[in-house]
Amino acid sequence: MSDKRSDAITRGFERTPHRALLKSTGVPEGQMDRPFIGIASSFTDLIPGHTGMRDLERFIEKGVHSGGGYSFIFGIPGVCDGIAMGHKGMHYSLPTRELIADMVESIAEAHRLDGLVLLTNCDKITPGMLMAAARLDIPAIVVTAGPSMTGTGREGRRFSFVTDTFEAMAQYKAGVIDDQQLKMCEDHACPTAGSCQGLFTANTMAILTETLGMSLPQCGTALAVSSLKRRIAFASGEKIVDLVRDGITPRQILTRAAFENAIRVDLALGGSSNTVLHLLAIAHEAGVELPLELFDELGRTTPQLASMNPGGQHFMEDLDAAGGVPGVLHQLGDKVRDNPTLFGLGVRQIADSVASVDEEVIRPLDNPVRAEGGLAILHGNLAPKGAVVKQSGVSEQMMTFEGTARCFDSEEAAMDALMGGRIKPGDVVVIRYEGPRGGPGMREMLAPTATLMGLGLGDSVALITDGRFSGGTRGPCIGHISPEAAEGGPIALVEDGDRIRLDIPNRSLSLQVADEVLQQRRAAWSMPEPKIRSGWLARYAKVVTSAHTGAICE
């Protein structure tokens, strides 16, 4: 090949020092003219979804060399949200998305790599990788490592991470289950390597990556422990060399149509609310205008076609067997816009190629789970710039609700009240100063939301926050409230005893307090001292934007 990026470190007598260093790593003389492919691997012993990546690295590497390239593996960090949940560690989770994007950019540019295979799996790692691919706009392909299998128990019961650990914790506190049952949940909830088994953020992002056309067919749903995942890894290694030779780059794939398709698939499956943040951020890097309101516009015309755990009955292994992403595209029919993918086929070709779909898992448009998509965008005097709710996880009786505000300035304070039995039916739990800037880091509120469900309050208590939720969250939980409290948003002005009204069908979230009273409160409001004053998070808090923009860093 001629005119490769890597020519800057391999060609000409001026690059003698560079070639010497490359040879020092083991690169043979005869490989210097091959495309240099970086394998950005987020392998770590710390995250169950990533512990199996050493195996996938080998298969990607084999594919790169079979395709005529030369591969270099480099490491990218990751945070396990489940392990980081409920303590200081969760402050770091969302900010790592920006670090990951910056790291991939830094290595690819500094070493003049010709192409990238992005090996990823979990919550912030996958969007961070995609942000880097869109920003760099050099040939890149994503391999998501895949979901775990469900655990098995007596009488055909299947265990999964969120409902059988976080919600079980609250059930134990309430006396619903005993020590032995709690231990059984702990031992069976995560039986294999892989991302959590339901449609949480990791798996939703893997599905949307495939929908966007940035990974090979079935990659988004193939199980981490399957031989299919190995074959996809090998094929991705081969494909990246073709992409380099053909000059196919991410921005040719990441069009407005691609993002609209991703949103529709997300809505049809009832996926994680975190995908709103991530799709906005990826689109920003790709130079695609993607307003927050588009999620709601498409949600009104995209029925929810699947009942996926945590809010429903099916798991990732069921979705994969039912037809995976191609099956969802097939069922959506004409709602899908055609768009190119990295592997050559158009999106409509993929949808049309599906021979059959298990309609018990992925329903047809004329027999949906719900008439509208899984996510809804709310506005009102509490959220002038928007808020997000995963309506697929909300019971019918809680779609409209009015309750009494109980205000907490941190997740920990809210958890103390919940576990102490101080939250009663008819309350609206308000958790603030947990947004991108105020947190800092916009922590996930899985512990409070799972505790609500575990205590049996999911049909009598709502929760609102300027933080965000795990993909495992279900119940009347509204997040991403913008502007956040740390920016002086209205959520900072709420007081105990105020009445708050939630109306999901009419997309409204309102504080039942007179405007003149709110003006008086605003005049008396002042920003609290930052929770974290040093290190990376202090720097992050100064540059991060609001949730309605995707919490990007400017």
Side-chain angles (χ1 to χ4, degrees), residues 202-219:
N203 291 327
T204 308
M205 283 308 305
I207 286 169
L208 300 193
T209 302
E210 182 181 336
T211 306
L212 286 167
M214 289 295 294
S215 61
L216 296 183
Q218 293 188 270
C219 188

Side-chain angles (χ1 to χ4, degrees), residues 381-394:
N381 68 346
L382 250 181
K385 293 186 178 179
V388 179
V389 62
K390 185 176 178 178
Q391 64 174 341
S392 60
V394 180

Side-chain angles (χ1 to χ4, degrees), residues 123-138:
D123 299 54
K124 311 309 160 302
I125 301 99
T126 299
M129 296 270 204
L130 283 166
M131 288 167 67
R135 182 188 304 171
L136 286 162
D137 200 32
I138 66 173

